[in-house]
Amino acid sequence: MKNIFLLLILLQISANAQIITRIPSPLDTGLNTNGTDQSMIPIIKKDNYMYCYTSKLIGTVQRYAVVRINLDTDDVYLYSSSILSGSDYFFARPRNFSFYQDDVYFNCGTRLYKLNLVTDNITQIATFCEKFYLFSNYLIYNYNSDNTYVKNLITGTTSELKTNNNNLSIADASEFFEYNNELYFVSNATRIDKFVAPNSTNTLYSAPYQPSTINTWADNGARKINNNLVFVLIENGAIKFVSLNLSTNTINPNFTFNTQATSGYGVRLPFVLDNTIFITNSTQMYTSDGINAPTLTNIPFICSYPIVYNNNAYGIVYTALYGPEVWKTDGTVSGTTILKDINPGTEGISGWSPIIHNNSLFSSKSNVNNPSNWDLNIYTSDGTSNNTIPILPNNYFSAINGVGSPTIGYNNYIYVYAETTTESGLFKVDVSQYNLGQQSFDLINKNKFFPNPSNDIISFNDNQIVVEIYDLVGKLVFRKENINKVDIENLSKGIYIVKSRKINGEDFFTEKLIKK
């Protein structure tokens, strides 16, 4: 009987143990100095395909290359081209992928390229192109910083895009926003323009400008609130938010928010909850309906790049008590709280870059300024403290998304660029048991425990349950009734099998436990 039980345990472990898989790029490709480590970095997902970049020796030059992965089969296909950049400078990598019919447009180095998915050919569209945008059948792209061109992708004709016969630049602070089949964008960091097909614009607002040394940034700065669009502009030597009425295409005169900042890196982009826009400066939060002037609030949520999930905004907030930790807000003072003190004390965490996948939050995280307590992991959350948990053994990876690459979700997996002590590249992580938002944890009926992995206390959703823990040879190492928590600190590191059931005698539920 014991042998049968052990066989069942081993079968379950073999089915679940390989939750982390490295997907290599083709032979003779990679990101190391000789390009042979078969590492690659994700860029974007489109349907059931993911596109990554790596490098390949072409002739005598190690050049960037694009790889396509079928996420249903893990099959990889290499698009190699001798015309792509050979630079190893990070910002020269293939990036900014945009799709139009059978073509993919992207930047690499200082150039704009097109990849045809039918012929698999890569061709160059423009040199010295830093930014482009696909709108309807038009490709709008800057050239040499000071000029912008528009190409009709149906007719193939290209012409310079001007405003009032003057040069127009989308290289700096160009926030694009589509609404009602029209394209709005910021040009020259100071104007709001609307594209008029095929090759002109209407200037809707031009900010008073004084020469300055403002360091701008700013993709995705536009936010729609009710029937208004809030943009970031440089006005009179500082960075300012202005609101455009989309019905009248005029500026809302009562809406004004001057950040007083002279560097774009110090400006926090606004977010929208429940028909209200939330704008912060360095110390305070303001709210507006998009028409009237933002008013000061007492909401303690000073945060950059928050993500909105289930009607709450989540982001890193610094406080003296906790350091930088993840907080959430529903837009009220009482509804603003720390999500979880992931790293207790004032040290806090860093590297939090969340995605929403399967109605759950997933994000990598690391501790700050403490190499002896690095604690690198991937966390998932359903927005509650109890269900904000790590999904990997601590420090399984030595780096996650360290090159600014995104986390990508597909079906029951997330994909990340990561590094271990022996290899690096694209890793596929099975998160099927961590889809908290879909309650695949089944905490209510199955008595599953959290966190897992753990090094001390595991907690069960129900009270008064029977818990049994077995090692991998089938030896019972723990049993107790009428509990909802177990201290596993004295267990050796490794894999165990946890069986739990309610006191009323229903069948045991069996789950693998990783003791850190």
Side-chain angles (χ1 to χ4, degrees):
M1 185 69 176
K2 179 177 179 180
N3 290 337
I4 294 175
F5 174 67
L6 176 59
L7 177 61
L8 291 173
I9 290 175
L10 293 177
L11 286 174
Q12 179 175 357
I13 292 173
S14 66
N16 293 322
Q18 298 300 321
I19 64 170
I20 306 172
T21 307
R22 181 177 184 262
I23 303 178
S25 60
L27 289 173
D28 300 318
T29 65
L31 300 170
N32 59 358
T33 53
N34 60 11
T36 59
D37 62 348
Q38 292 184 265
S39 294
M40 56 183 167
I41 295 177
I43 304 170
I44 195 172
K45 179 183 74 71
K46 173 70 171 176
D47 300 324
N48 63 319
Y49 290 101
M50 180 164 58
Y51 295 83
C52 303
Y53 74 86
T54 184
S55 71
K56 179 177 175 59
L57 185 66
I58 300 178
T60 59
V61 179
Q62 193 73 34
R63 296 191 177 276
Y64 281 120
V66 177
V67 177
R68 183 193 68 203
I69 303 171
N70 185 322
L71 296 178
D72 292 321
T73 63
D74 289 348
D75 291 337
V76 299
Y77 181 83
L78 178 71
Y79 302 99
S80 60
S81 174
S82 61
I83 66 174
L84 291 184
S85 170
S87 170
D88 60 1
Y89 180 51
F90 172 70
F91 290 103
R93 73 200 187 285
R95 60 201 186 278
N96 304 331
F97 276 40
S98 296
F99 297 82
Y100 176 77
Q101 296 182 355
D102 293 326
D103 295 320
V104 184
Y105 293 85
F106 65 97
N107 290 116
C108 183
T110 59
R111 302 181 181 187
L112 174 62
Y113 294 93
K114 180 181 74 173
L115 164 62
N116 185 276
L117 299 177
V118 176
T119 65
D120 297 339
N121 290 330
I122 296 176
T123 55
Q124 179 180 302
I125 302 297
T127 58
F128 305 110
C129 174
E130 297 147 331
K131 191 164 293 185
F132 71 92
Y133 191 85
L134 282 171
F135 171 67
S136 183
N137 58 293
Y138 296 97
L139 171 66
I140 301 170
Y141 61 95
N142 82 287
Y143 178 79
N144 217 18
S145 296
D146 296 325
N147 305 92
T148 299
Y149 288 86
V150 56
K151 181 174 183 177
N152 187 319
L153 298 178
I154 295 177
T155 64
T157 58
T158 301
S159 56
E160 187 169 2
L161 184 61
K162 290 180 175 287
T163 180
N164 298 326
N165 294 319
N166 295 319
N167 287 354
L168 181 149
S169 174
I170 62 168
D172 294 323
S174 301
E175 298 116 27
F176 292 91
F177 191 88
E178 296 182 33
Y179 174 76
N180 198 26
N181 296 319
E182 295 183 305
L183 178 65
Y184 298 83
F185 61 97
V186 170
S187 61
N188 299 81
T190 62
R191 293 200 313 267
I192 300 175
D193 288 309
K194 183 168 76 171
F195 175 66
V196 179
N199 59 3
S200 64
T201 67
N202 283 336
T203 298
L204 305 179
Y205 178 74
S206 184
Y209 180 70
Q210 294 176 354
S212 66
T213 58
I214 289 182
N215 184 8
T216 60
W217 91 118
D219 287 333
N220 302 319
R223 296 289 184 269
K224 184 176 180 296
I225 169 67
N226 300 318
N227 198 43
N228 308 283
L229 198 58
V230 176
F231 282 101
V232 184
L233 300 175
I234 299 174
E235 183 169 315
N236 288 330
I239 297 176
K240 183 177 180 179
F241 290 95
V242 297
S243 175
L244 176 75
N245 185 304
L246 290 169
S247 296
T248 63
N249 280 181
T250 58
I251 293 296
N252 291 306
N254 293 330
F255 185 103
T256 179
F257 189 79
N258 192 339
T259 68
Q260 305 295 326
T262 57
S263 171
Y265 297 107
V267 174
R268 294 171 172 87
L269 297 180
F271 62 92
V272 174
L273 285 176
D274 193 26
N275 298 319
T276 301
I277 191 165
F278 296 79
I279 303 179
T280 66
N281 56 21
S282 59
T283 59
Q284 297 169 308
M285 174 171 285
Y286 296 74
T287 61
S288 172
D289 58 2
I291 299 175
N292 296 301
T295 57
L296 179 64
T297 76
N298 293 319
I299 300 171
F301 191 79
I302 309 303
C303 173
S304 295
Y305 305 106
I307 186 171
V308 176
Y309 165 68
N310 286 349
N311 299 316
N312 281 264
Y314 294 77
I316 295 289
V317 173
Y318 176 83
T319 63
L321 181 61
Y322 298 108
E325 289 280 2
V326 180
W327 285 60
K328 68 176 183 177
T329 184
D330 63 2
T332 67
V333 174
S334 61
T336 302
T337 182
I338 188 171
L339 174 61
K340 185 171 188 173
D341 190 7
I342 293 175
N343 186 27
T346 60
E347 181 187 336
I349 66 171
S350 66
W352 195 72
S353 52
I355 64 167
I356 300 171
H357 179 57
N358 288 346
N359 199 29
S360 299
L361 287 173
F362 289 93
S363 176
S364 62
K365 77 95 189 175
S366 61
N367 292 348
V368 179
N369 301 324
N370 190 347
S372 65
N373 186 28
W374 188 241
D375 190 22
L376 188 67
N377 214 310
I378 296 175
Y379 271 67
T380 187
S381 178
D382 65 353
T384 65
S385 179
N386 282 344
N387 284 347
T388 300
I389 58 174
I391 67 174
L392 302 176
N394 269 353
N395 303 316
Y396 181 93
F397 294 124
S398 58
I400 305 175
N401 294 344
V403 290
S405 61
T407 299
I408 291 176
Y410 179 74
N411 286 346
N412 286 321
Y413 299 93
I414 60 172
Y415 299 79
V416 296
Y417 171 81
E419 300 172 7
T420 69
T421 56
T422 58
E423 59 186 0
S424 64
L426 180 66
F427 286 85
K428 170 183 177 180
V429 182
D430 185 342
V431 296
S432 57
Q433 60 181 318
Y434 297 105
N435 296 337
L436 300 178
Q438 295 183 350
Q439 294 187 347
S440 63
F441 256 153
D442 209 2
L443 292 173
I444 295 176
N445 297 320
K446 295 300 186 181
N447 299 305
K448 273 193 171 183
F449 54 86
F450 55 88
N452 186 15
S454 176
N455 60 2
D456 45 30
I457 304 294
I458 58 174
S459 300
F460 294 80
N461 190 62
D462 266 350
N463 295 316
Q464 297 180 330
I465 62 173
V466 179
V467 177
E468 297 178 356
I469 302 179
Y470 296 82
D471 64 18
L472 291 188
V473 297
K475 179 183 177 181
L476 179 67
V477 297
F478 176 91
R479 187 184 191 281
K480 203 164 187 179
E481 298 183 2
N482 294 322
I483 61 173
N484 69 341
K485 292 183 179 180
V486 176
D487 187 349
I488 62 170
E489 185 175 5
N490 292 328
L491 294 182
S492 300
K493 292 182 179 180
I495 298 176
Y496 295 85
I497 297 301
V498 176
K499 299 180 66 181
S500 61
R501 65 172 172 82
K502 295 181 180 179
I503 289 294
N504 60 16
E506 66 179 26
D507 292 338
F508 274 103
F509 180 76
T510 303
E511 178 70 7
K512 180 180 68 175
L513 164 67
I514 299 175
K515 167 62 166 63
K516 297 186 293 184

